[in-house]
Amino acid sequence: MNFTLTEEHHAVQEATRDFARQELLPGVIDRDREMKYPAEQVKLMGELGLLGMMVDPKYGGGGMDTISYVLAMEEISKIDNSCSVIMSVNNSLVCWGIETFASEELKQEYLPKLVTGEWIGAFCLSEPEAGSDATSQRTTAIDMGDHYLLNGTKNWITNGGSSKLHVVIAQSDPSKKHRGINAFIVETSWDGVTIGAKEDKLGIRASDTHTIMYSDVKVPKENRIGDEGFGFKFAMKVLSGGRIGIAAQALGIAAGAFELATAYAQEREAFGKPIAKHQIISFKLADMATQIQAARLLVHKAAQTKDLGLDFTRAAAAAKVFASEVAMRQTVEAVQIHGGYGFVKEYHVERLMRDAKITQIYEGTSEIQRLVIARDILRKANLY
Ligand code: CAA
């Protein structure tokens, strides 16, 4: 495999690195503490083209490949993971899903608003009783002739309070089980859409995670994405793309914590020399660097597989499960290297450690990623 980055890739990497340091770093601690949605920062991300990176320029997008997207996600995630999850959901779960599977009319109507950040999108699959078991949708979308009537509750919705568009997964015909599920584009200004409670979270605290209620929402027939009954497959395919974004987020968290730990270890002296010169610390840095590079290779492999038009389900799951576990372990190490300073907010690593945890949970837990990988192994060996 050739993972050589092009000049364009390097340009994306440098531009997002500079942007994250100049525009996202100031105030990141306060936004996290106060759970303050980063409205100004998201606006700037839209202006820089970070919210619709892979969308065709004919809809106003950046027309970039998935490698560019993961490079940008890594850089943003080193600094601000509330911003990077907003970016990931808008790019992967919303824009990519609409561009790949929706009708031309829906693409023309919605993508130009989403790529600029004029509208932010949310992906509404999870329910109080349908998390990992996503086929158990209780939200219903009943066919009423010229529209569907949508009723139900979704939870853990990233961008829940800030979004103007929801991609909603709902059951239209329970007798068909997952083959009765549909996906729809719903505007949050429509009658019957209620934004519920905002979650007070361990990490990514500045992103707005809400419960959403739909009560007799009339969804025009033409707002269904794909054919009747395609909704569950749509959700699975879109989530595979999303998992590449979250894997890149986890990679950025690990790499950000590593950069901070390396700098600190070179500055901080103990027993007459920088702690980086003590073998016990330098070996920690060596292990961290190796694990992070392994995670990066898996993330780039998943992105490349998607760019080649191949089935990237297993590559995305492998990248996410590995990178998120690296993020969790390496942020704990980074806090340890910082000693007491790692335990206070000013040094950033405690926030990265809190942010790391969700990458093992959202868009499919580590257990679900292992299930996806195992099923693929057994299916290919004709054992499943
Ligand atoms: N691509 C296309 N089709 C797929 C697919 C894929 N990757 N995975 C499954 N399917 C299809 C299957 O082929 C099957 O269809 P047919 O019967 O017609 O062939 C159908 O979907 C059902 O599949 P399974 O029998 O495998 O279903 P299951 O219930 O046993 O398991 C699962 C499916 C993999 C566990 C799935 O439910 C899953 O991924 N769960 C996790 C859900 C998840 O990731 N939630 C995250 C919420 S979103 C979020 O976090 C957003 C946010 O705001 C950040």
Side-chain angles (χ1 to χ4, degrees), residues 52-100:
M53 290 184 71
M54 296 170 286
V55 173
D56 193 316
K58 74 179 174 190
Y59 305 113
M64 292 184 205
D65 59 11
T66 313
I67 298 277
S68 301
Y69 169 57
V70 297
L71 290 169
M73 276 295 297
E74 180 180 343
E75 294 305 323
I76 302 294
S77 304
K78 286 178 183 173
I79 305 290
D80 186 336
N81 286 287
S82 294
C83 284
S84 70
V85 72
I86 295 165
M87 174 176 161
S88 179
V89 168
N90 206 66
N91 274 280
S92 303
L93 298 184
V94 179
C95 287
W96 188 78
I98 293 175
E99 186 173 20
T100 311

Short mmCIF file of all heavy atoms in Angstrom, two decimals, residues 52-100:
data_model
loop_
_atom_site.label_atom_id
_atom_site.label_comp_id
_atom_site.label_asym_id
_atom_site.label_seq_id
_atom_site.Cartn_x
_atom_site.Cartn_y
_atom_site.Cartn_z
N GLY A 52 -17.86 20.30 4.85
CA GLY A 52 -18.32 19.48 3.73
C GLY A 52 -17.14 19.14 2.84
O GLY A 52 -17.17 19.31 1.62
N MET A 53 -16.10 18.62 3.46
CA MET A 53 -14.81 18.45 2.78
C MET A 53 -14.88 17.55 1.56
O MET A 53 -14.22 17.78 0.55
CB MET A 53 -13.76 17.88 3.75
CG MET A 53 -13.35 18.86 4.81
SD MET A 53 -12.03 18.17 5.85
CE MET A 53 -10.64 18.19 4.72
N MET A 54 -15.69 16.45 1.67
CA MET A 54 -15.68 15.44 0.60
C MET A 54 -16.82 15.65 -0.41
O MET A 54 -16.92 14.92 -1.38
CB MET A 54 -15.78 14.04 1.21
CG MET A 54 -14.57 13.70 2.07
SD MET A 54 -14.80 12.18 3.02
CE MET A 54 -15.94 12.66 4.29
N VAL A 55 -17.65 16.66 -0.16
CA VAL A 55 -18.81 16.87 -1.04
C VAL A 55 -18.36 17.46 -2.38
O VAL A 55 -17.44 18.28 -2.45
CB VAL A 55 -19.83 17.81 -0.34
CG1 VAL A 55 -20.96 18.20 -1.27
CG2 VAL A 55 -20.36 17.16 0.94
N ASP A 56 -19.02 17.01 -3.44
CA ASP A 56 -18.72 17.48 -4.79
C ASP A 56 -18.82 19.02 -4.86
O ASP A 56 -19.79 19.59 -4.35
CB ASP A 56 -19.76 16.85 -5.75
CG ASP A 56 -19.37 17.02 -7.20
OD1 ASP A 56 -18.95 18.12 -7.58
OD2 ASP A 56 -19.49 16.02 -7.95
N PRO A 57 -17.83 19.67 -5.51
CA PRO A 57 -17.89 21.14 -5.62
C PRO A 57 -19.18 21.64 -6.26
O PRO A 57 -19.59 22.77 -6.01
CB PRO A 57 -16.67 21.48 -6.48
CG PRO A 57 -15.73 20.35 -6.26
CD PRO A 57 -16.58 19.12 -6.03
N LYS A 58 -19.87 20.78 -7.05
CA LYS A 58 -21.11 21.30 -7.66
C LYS A 58 -22.19 21.57 -6.61
O LYS A 58 -23.15 22.29 -6.87
CB LYS A 58 -21.61 20.37 -8.77
CG LYS A 58 -22.22 19.09 -8.34
CD LYS A 58 -22.69 18.30 -9.58
CE LYS A 58 -23.19 16.94 -9.14
NZ LYS A 58 -23.45 16.01 -10.18
N TYR A 59 -22.02 21.01 -5.41
CA TYR A 59 -22.94 21.34 -4.30
C TYR A 59 -22.26 22.28 -3.30
O TYR A 59 -22.72 22.45 -2.18
CB TYR A 59 -23.39 20.07 -3.56
CG TYR A 59 -24.00 19.02 -4.45
CD1 TYR A 59 -23.35 17.80 -4.67
CD2 TYR A 59 -25.22 19.24 -5.09
CE1 TYR A 59 -23.90 16.84 -5.51
CE2 TYR A 59 -25.78 18.29 -5.93
CZ TYR A 59 -25.11 17.09 -6.13
OH TYR A 59 -25.66 16.14 -6.95
N GLY A 60 -21.11 22.82 -3.69
CA GLY A 60 -20.41 23.77 -2.82
C GLY A 60 -19.36 23.14 -1.92
O GLY A 60 -18.73 23.84 -1.11
N GLY A 61 -19.15 21.82 -2.03
CA GLY A 61 -18.20 21.14 -1.14
C GLY A 61 -16.76 21.26 -1.60
O GLY A 61 -16.45 21.88 -2.62
N GLY A 62 -15.87 20.64 -0.82
CA GLY A 62 -14.44 20.73 -1.09
C GLY A 62 -13.94 19.74 -2.12
O GLY A 62 -12.82 19.88 -2.63
N GLY A 63 -14.73 18.71 -2.43
CA GLY A 63 -14.34 17.72 -3.44
C GLY A 63 -13.07 16.96 -3.08
O GLY A 63 -12.34 16.50 -3.96
N MET A 64 -12.80 16.84 -1.79
CA MET A 64 -11.53 16.19 -1.38
C MET A 64 -11.74 14.70 -1.12
O MET A 64 -12.87 14.23 -1.01
CB MET A 64 -11.02 16.85 -0.11
CG MET A 64 -10.57 18.27 -0.33
SD MET A 64 -9.88 18.93 1.18
CE MET A 64 -10.15 20.66 0.88
N ASP A 65 -10.62 13.99 -0.99
CA ASP A 65 -10.71 12.56 -0.70
C ASP A 65 -10.79 12.34 0.82
O ASP A 65 -10.67 13.29 1.62
CB ASP A 65 -9.54 11.79 -1.33
CG ASP A 65 -8.18 12.28 -0.85
OD1 ASP A 65 -8.13 13.07 0.12
OD2 ASP A 65 -7.17 11.88 -1.44
N THR A 66 -10.99 11.06 1.19
CA THR A 66 -11.17 10.75 2.61
C THR A 66 -9.86 10.89 3.38
O THR A 66 -9.86 11.18 4.58
CB THR A 66 -11.76 9.33 2.76
OG1 THR A 66 -12.84 9.20 1.84
CG2 THR A 66 -12.28 9.06 4.15
N ILE A 67 -8.73 10.71 2.68
CA ILE A 67 -7.43 10.91 3.35
C ILE A 67 -7.32 12.37 3.83
O ILE A 67 -6.92 12.63 4.98
CB ILE A 67 -6.25 10.57 2.40
CG1 ILE A 67 -6.29 9.09 1.98
CG2 ILE A 67 -4.91 10.94 3.04
CD1 ILE A 67 -5.69 8.10 2.94
N SER A 68 -7.70 13.31 2.97
CA SER A 68 -7.66 14.72 3.38
C SER A 68 -8.53 14.94 4.61
O SER A 68 -8.16 15.66 5.55
CB SER A 68 -8.18 15.63 2.25
OG SER A 68 -7.41 15.46 1.10
N TYR A 69 -9.69 14.32 4.57
CA TYR A 69 -10.64 14.46 5.69
C TYR A 69 -10.04 13.93 7.00
O TYR A 69 -10.09 14.60 8.04
CB TYR A 69 -11.93 13.73 5.31
CG TYR A 69 -12.93 13.54 6.41
CD1 TYR A 69 -13.45 14.61 7.12
CD2 TYR A 69 -13.40 12.26 6.73
CE1 TYR A 69 -14.39 14.41 8.13
CE2 TYR A 69 -14.34 12.05 7.72
CZ TYR A 69 -14.82 13.13 8.42
OH TYR A 69 -15.75 12.94 9.41
N VAL A 70 -9.41 12.74 6.96
CA VAL A 70 -8.87 12.20 8.22
C VAL A 70 -7.66 13.00 8.70
O VAL A 70 -7.44 13.13 9.91
CB VAL A 70 -8.56 10.67 8.17
CG1 VAL A 70 -9.82 9.87 7.93
CG2 VAL A 70 -7.48 10.31 7.17
N LEU A 71 -6.91 13.55 7.74
CA LEU A 71 -5.78 14.40 8.15
C LEU A 71 -6.30 15.64 8.89
O LEU A 71 -5.77 16.04 9.93
CB LEU A 71 -4.97 14.84 6.93
CG LEU A 71 -4.16 13.74 6.23
CD1 LEU A 71 -3.63 14.23 4.89
CD2 LEU A 71 -2.99 13.28 7.11
N ALA A 72 -7.36 16.22 8.35
CA ALA A 72 -7.95 17.41 8.99
C ALA A 72 -8.55 17.03 10.34
O ALA A 72 -8.36 17.74 11.34
CB ALA A 72 -9.01 18.02 8.09
N MET A 73 -9.27 15.91 10.38
CA MET A 73 -9.87 15.46 11.65
C MET A 73 -8.79 15.25 12.72
O MET A 73 -8.98 15.60 13.88
CB MET A 73 -10.65 14.15 11.45
CG MET A 73 -12.06 14.29 10.94
SD MET A 73 -13.19 15.13 12.08
CE MET A 73 -13.21 14.01 13.46
N GLU A 74 -7.66 14.66 12.32
CA GLU A 74 -6.59 14.42 13.31
C GLU A 74 -6.11 15.75 13.90
O GLU A 74 -5.96 15.88 15.12
CB GLU A 74 -5.42 13.65 12.67
CG GLU A 74 -4.31 13.40 13.67
CD GLU A 74 -3.09 12.63 13.13
OE1 GLU A 74 -3.19 12.00 12.06
OE2 GLU A 74 -2.05 12.68 13.81
N GLU A 75 -5.89 16.74 13.04
CA GLU A 75 -5.36 18.02 13.53
C GLU A 75 -6.35 18.74 14.43
O GLU A 75 -5.99 19.27 15.47
CB GLU A 75 -4.94 18.92 12.35
CG GLU A 75 -3.77 18.38 11.55
CD GLU A 75 -2.53 18.08 12.41
OE1 GLU A 75 -2.26 18.83 13.37
OE2 GLU A 75 -1.84 17.08 12.12
N ILE A 76 -7.63 18.76 14.02
CA ILE A 76 -8.65 19.44 14.84
C ILE A 76 -8.79 18.71 16.19
O ILE A 76 -8.92 19.34 17.24
CB ILE A 76 -10.02 19.49 14.10
CG1 ILE A 76 -9.91 20.20 12.75
CG2 ILE A 76 -11.10 20.14 14.99
CD1 ILE A 76 -9.58 21.65 12.78
N SER A 77 -8.70 17.38 16.14
CA SER A 77 -8.92 16.59 17.36
C SER A 77 -7.75 16.66 18.35
O SER A 77 -7.90 16.31 19.52
CB SER A 77 -9.18 15.12 16.98
OG SER A 77 -10.27 15.05 16.11
N LYS A 78 -6.59 17.08 17.89
CA LYS A 78 -5.48 17.29 18.84
C LYS A 78 -5.82 18.42 19.80
O LYS A 78 -5.31 18.48 20.91
CB LYS A 78 -4.19 17.67 18.08
CG LYS A 78 -3.54 16.52 17.35
CD LYS A 78 -2.31 17.03 16.61
CE LYS A 78 -1.66 15.93 15.80
NZ LYS A 78 -0.57 16.45 14.94
N ILE A 79 -6.69 19.33 19.33
CA ILE A 79 -6.95 20.55 20.09
C ILE A 79 -8.35 20.59 20.69
O ILE A 79 -8.53 20.90 21.86
CB ILE A 79 -6.76 21.80 19.17
CG1 ILE A 79 -5.37 21.79 18.51
CG2 ILE A 79 -7.03 23.09 19.93
CD1 ILE A 79 -4.19 22.06 19.42
N ASP A 80 -9.39 20.32 19.88
CA ASP A 80 -10.76 20.55 20.36
C ASP A 80 -11.70 19.47 19.81
O ASP A 80 -12.09 19.50 18.64
CB ASP A 80 -11.23 21.94 19.90
CG ASP A 80 -12.59 22.31 20.49
OD1 ASP A 80 -13.37 21.40 20.85
OD2 ASP A 80 -12.87 23.51 20.59
N ASN A 81 -12.07 18.55 20.69
CA ASN A 81 -12.89 17.42 20.23
C ASN A 81 -14.38 17.69 20.22
O ASN A 81 -15.14 16.91 19.65
CB ASN A 81 -12.54 16.18 21.05
CG ASN A 81 -11.20 15.68 20.59
OD1 ASN A 81 -11.10 15.12 19.50
ND2 ASN A 81 -10.16 15.96 21.36
N SER A 82 -14.79 18.79 20.82
CA SER A 82 -16.19 19.20 20.62
C SER A 82 -16.33 19.64 19.18
O SER A 82 -17.28 19.27 18.48
CB SER A 82 -16.56 20.32 21.59
OG SER A 82 -16.53 19.81 22.91
N CYS A 83 -15.36 20.44 18.72
CA CYS A 83 -15.41 20.88 17.31
C CYS A 83 -15.24 19.70 16.37
O CYS A 83 -15.90 19.63 15.32
CB CYS A 83 -14.33 21.94 17.04
SG CYS A 83 -14.80 23.55 17.72
N SER A 84 -14.36 18.75 16.71
CA SER A 84 -14.12 17.68 15.74
C SER A 84 -15.30 16.71 15.66
O SER A 84 -15.55 16.14 14.59
CB SER A 84 -12.80 16.95 15.99
OG SER A 84 -12.83 16.18 17.14
N VAL A 85 -16.08 16.53 16.74
CA VAL A 85 -17.24 15.64 16.60
C VAL A 85 -18.34 16.34 15.79
O VAL A 85 -19.03 15.70 14.99
CB VAL A 85 -17.77 15.09 17.94
CG1 VAL A 85 -18.48 16.13 18.79
CG2 VAL A 85 -18.74 13.94 17.67
N ILE A 86 -18.47 17.64 15.95
CA ILE A 86 -19.46 18.40 15.15
C ILE A 86 -19.09 18.25 13.68
O ILE A 86 -19.93 17.98 12.82
CB ILE A 86 -19.46 19.89 15.59
CG1 ILE A 86 -19.96 20.01 17.03
CG2 ILE A 86 -20.28 20.74 14.62
CD1 ILE A 86 -19.67 21.36 17.70
N MET A 87 -17.79 18.39 13.41
CA MET A 87 -17.27 18.26 12.04
C MET A 87 -17.49 16.85 11.49
O MET A 87 -17.92 16.66 10.35
CB MET A 87 -15.77 18.60 12.09
CG MET A 87 -15.00 18.39 10.82
SD MET A 87 -13.29 18.96 11.10
CE MET A 87 -12.47 18.10 9.74
N SER A 88 -17.21 15.85 12.32
CA SER A 88 -17.32 14.47 11.86
C SER A 88 -18.77 14.11 11.52
O SER A 88 -19.06 13.52 10.47
CB SER A 88 -16.78 13.53 12.94
OG SER A 88 -16.91 12.20 12.53
N VAL A 89 -19.70 14.48 12.41
CA VAL A 89 -21.11 14.14 12.16
C VAL A 89 -21.59 14.85 10.89
O VAL A 89 -22.24 14.25 10.02
CB VAL A 89 -21.99 14.50 13.38
CG1 VAL A 89 -23.46 14.44 13.03
CG2 VAL A 89 -21.68 13.55 14.55
N ASN A 90 -21.24 16.14 10.75
CA ASN A 90 -21.73 16.88 9.58
C ASN A 90 -21.17 16.31 8.28
O ASN A 90 -21.88 16.12 7.29
CB ASN A 90 -21.38 18.36 9.71
CG ASN A 90 -22.34 19.24 8.94
OD1 ASN A 90 -23.51 19.32 9.27
ND2 ASN A 90 -21.86 19.86 7.87
N ASN A 91 -19.84 16.00 8.29
CA ASN A 91 -19.20 15.48 7.07
C ASN A 91 -19.64 14.06 6.74
O ASN A 91 -20.05 13.78 5.62
CB ASN A 91 -17.68 15.45 7.24
CG ASN A 91 -17.01 16.76 6.89
OD1 ASN A 91 -16.79 17.06 5.72
ND2 ASN A 91 -16.71 17.55 7.90
N SER A 92 -19.49 13.16 7.75
CA SER A 92 -19.61 11.73 7.45
C SER A 92 -21.05 11.24 7.50
O SER A 92 -21.52 10.56 6.59
CB SER A 92 -18.85 10.89 8.46
OG SER A 92 -17.51 11.23 8.55
N LEU A 93 -21.72 11.53 8.61
CA LEU A 93 -23.04 10.93 8.81
C LEU A 93 -24.11 11.68 8.02
O LEU A 93 -25.09 11.08 7.59
CB LEU A 93 -23.42 10.90 10.29
CG LEU A 93 -22.51 10.07 11.22
CD1 LEU A 93 -23.05 10.05 12.63
CD2 LEU A 93 -22.35 8.64 10.70
N VAL A 94 -23.92 12.99 7.85
CA VAL A 94 -24.98 13.77 7.22
C VAL A 94 -24.65 14.02 5.73
O VAL A 94 -25.33 13.50 4.85
CB VAL A 94 -25.24 15.08 8.00
CG1 VAL A 94 -26.32 15.91 7.32
CG2 VAL A 94 -25.64 14.76 9.45
N CYS A 95 -23.57 14.78 5.46
CA CYS A 95 -23.30 15.13 4.04
C CYS A 95 -23.02 13.89 3.19
O CYS A 95 -23.58 13.75 2.10
CB CYS A 95 -22.10 16.08 3.95
SG CYS A 95 -22.48 17.75 4.50
N TRP A 96 -22.16 13.01 3.68
CA TRP A 96 -21.80 11.84 2.86
C TRP A 96 -23.03 10.96 2.61
O TRP A 96 -23.25 10.48 1.50
CB TRP A 96 -20.67 11.02 3.51
CG TRP A 96 -20.16 9.94 2.60
CD1 TRP A 96 -19.31 10.10 1.54
CD2 TRP A 96 -20.52 8.54 2.64
NE1 TRP A 96 -19.10 8.88 0.92
CE2 TRP A 96 -19.82 7.91 1.57
CE3 TRP A 96 -21.33 7.77 3.46
CZ2 TRP A 96 -19.93 6.55 1.32
CZ3 TRP A 96 -21.43 6.41 3.21
CH2 TRP A 96 -20.74 5.81 2.14
N GLY A 97 -23.84 10.78 3.64
CA GLY A 97 -25.05 9.96 3.50
C GLY A 97 -26.01 10.56 2.48
O GLY A 97 -26.55 9.84 1.63
N ILE A 98 -26.21 11.86 2.55
CA ILE A 98 -27.14 12.51 1.61
C ILE A 98 -26.55 12.46 0.20
O ILE A 98 -27.24 12.08 -0.76
CB ILE A 98 -27.42 13.97 2.06
CG1 ILE A 98 -28.21 13.97 3.38
CG2 ILE A 98 -28.17 14.74 0.97
CD1 ILE A 98 -28.45 15.36 3.98
N GLU A 99 -25.28 12.80 0.07
CA GLU A 99 -24.69 12.84 -1.28
C GLU A 99 -24.67 11.45 -1.93
O GLU A 99 -24.88 11.31 -3.13
CB GLU A 99 -23.26 13.41 -1.23
CG GLU A 99 -22.70 13.58 -2.64
CD GLU A 99 -21.36 14.29 -2.69
OE1 GLU A 99 -20.66 14.34 -1.66
OE2 GLU A 99 -21.01 14.79 -3.78
N THR A 100 -24.43 10.43 -1.13
CA THR A 100 -24.28 9.09 -1.71
C THR A 100 -25.63 8.42 -1.98
O THR A 100 -25.75 7.65 -2.93
CB THR A 100 -23.43 8.20 -0.75
OG1 THR A 100 -22.27 8.93 -0.39
CG2 THR A 100 -23.01 6.90 -1.41
#
